[in-house]
Amino acid sequence: MDFERMTRQERYDALTEIADMYYNQGKTQSEIADYFNTNRFKVAKLLQDARAEQIVEIRINASDGRNKSLEQELMKHYPLNKAIVVNTQYSSYADSCSQVGQAGAAYLDRLLTPGFVLGISWGKTIQTVINKLPQAIHTPLSVVQAAGHISLSNPSAESRELVRAAAFSHFGNVYYMNTPLYVNDAELRQRLLAEPDVYRTLCKAREMNAFITGIGSKSSLPLTNPAFRPYVSARDGELTEECIGSIMGYVLDARGQIADLDLNRKVIAVPAEELMAVSHRIAVAYGRHKVLVIGLAVRNGFVNELITDTETALLLSEMAG
């Protein structure tokens, strides 16, 4: 699309469509660039133009951004050291995602101090947090890819890219997990874990001050993901209905504990017991379909800090009550 040759009305309509795709539909700048056959830097400039020309108006209600009473309710009923509940009752889905991401970024930024070691998983939810981290030049940190690689339809939400982006925002060091998330051959898995590059990352992970992760629901179980079918045994298939979600590639059973699955013995990631020893175990998760697994992940100690939205917090409180 040639924006330079558009009439004034055509340009206005194009900016409106781009703004709608980004702010309301939750499309990434790269996805929009592909749609318009341009590049994401041009899209970023056009989004700035849309704001400058008041096609887009952003209103921040800072004093009403969080629901403090629900935060207290969650900390009363669950073993949480921190709860951040973002008021999203009157927001669109895209706006809700952005608000939760902004709250997560603000909290994470307060934690990051020189020498801090941060672990990161993957996914669009975590991407919204990392993309909103402010630039900081005096707080060098180390950022660890906490689990092996998983290919996503949106590459910018993959763990390697999020690790790179977080480190770049604070001029930090990166520690990649240069392996797939699952490996079938037990002997090969042990050799990969012993590879110097992977071993270096796993050693650094033992120094993590915090990790930030999403939580997968039953609808997104690795057991039912076609990409992971080669790793799922017949026995695992029979146990699928008993599983409720996942965290960092580990599938959780009906009690919210690491399920007795062959797949969980094929994971290349920071060991679960080491994850549970990290001081700040932060989950950014929301949605009524995730309420059960979020609650059990907290109760079982995988998570001790939660960033979520109003609806999810209300449902968690009701479940605990």
Side-chain angles (χ1 to χ4, degrees), residues 37-298:
N37 195 27
T38 184
N39 58 66
R40 65 183 182 87
F41 303 104
K42 180 67 174 177
V43 170
K45 174 62 168 59
L46 292 168
L47 286 168
Q48 290 179 350
D49 291 347
R51 291 182 62 180
E53 296 173 29
Q54 296 186 321
I55 293 171
V56 173
E57 296 182 359
I58 297 176
R59 184 179 67 188
I60 300 174
N61 299 314
S63 62
D64 196 36
R66 287 169 55 181
N67 191 315
K68 298 298 182 66
S69 62
L70 270 177
E71 291 174 359
Q72 293 300 316
E73 279 293 305
L74 289 182
M75 293 180 68
K76 173 183 175 182
H77 294 297
Y78 292 91
L80 286 166
N81 294 338
K82 184 75 175 180
I84 296 177
V85 177
V86 183
N87 277 323
T88 56
Q89 303 99 308
Y90 308 109
S91 301
S92 67
Y93 175 76
D95 286 344
S96 296
C97 294
S98 179
Q99 289 171 249
V100 174
Q102 184 65 60
Y107 175 62
L108 192 58
D109 187 56
R110 291 196 295 273
L111 291 180
L112 299 179
T113 54
F116 200 92
V117 181
L118 172 67
I120 293 180
S121 63
W122 64 84
K124 187 174 181 179
T125 303
I126 304 306
Q127 181 189 18
T128 62
V129 175
I130 301 304
N131 285 354
K132 294 180 183 296
L133 277 177
Q135 291 278 333
I137 61 174
H138 299 302
T139 54
L141 60 125
S142 297
V143 188
V144 174
Q145 182 181 344
H149 176 74
I150 170 175
S151 295
L152 302 175
S153 57
N154 175 12
S156 60
E158 292 175 357
S159 52
R160 284 181 60 88
E161 177 59 23
L162 297 180
V163 165
R164 184 208 62 78
F168 178 78
S169 72
H170 283 64
F171 295 83
N173 300 310
V174 297
Y175 291 80
Y176 293 126
M177 192 81 76
N178 289 313
T179 69
L181 179 59
Y182 302 110
V183 174
N184 260 328
D185 188 294
E187 184 178 341
L188 173 59
R189 179 178 178 275
Q190 289 306 120
R191 291 206 304 270
L192 285 172
L193 291 173
E195 278 292 312
D197 187 52
V198 177
Y199 183 71
R200 169 178 172 266
T201 296
L202 289 170
C203 287
K204 194 66 180 179
R206 297 189 186 109
E207 302 174 25
M208 284 192 300
N209 304 103
F211 67 75
I212 184 164
T213 182
I215 295 179
S217 67
K218 191 176 184 69
S219 63
S220 60
L221 281 175
L223 294 167
T224 57
N225 186 328
F228 299 135
R229 189 170 296 134
Y231 304 99
V232 178
S233 67
R235 175 178 172 273
D236 287 352
E238 294 171 359
L239 296 172
T240 297
E241 284 304 312
E242 300 176 19
C243 300
I244 61 166
S246 62
I247 184 168
M248 290 278 194
Y250 294 102
V251 179
L252 305 180
D253 63 19
R255 299 170 297 168
Q257 298 175 354
I258 301 292
D260 180 21
L261 296 172
D262 296 326
L263 187 65
N264 280 336
R265 289 181 276 276
K266 299 174 181 178
V267 178
I268 296 186
V270 177
E273 61 271 18
E274 292 183 14
L275 289 173
M276 295 173 73
V278 176
S279 297
H280 298 276
R281 305 186 295 281
I282 308 166
V284 185
Y286 47 90
R288 59 173 55 243
H289 61 298
K290 293 187 177 184
V291 171
L292 175 61
V293 66
I294 291 171
L296 289 175
V298 172

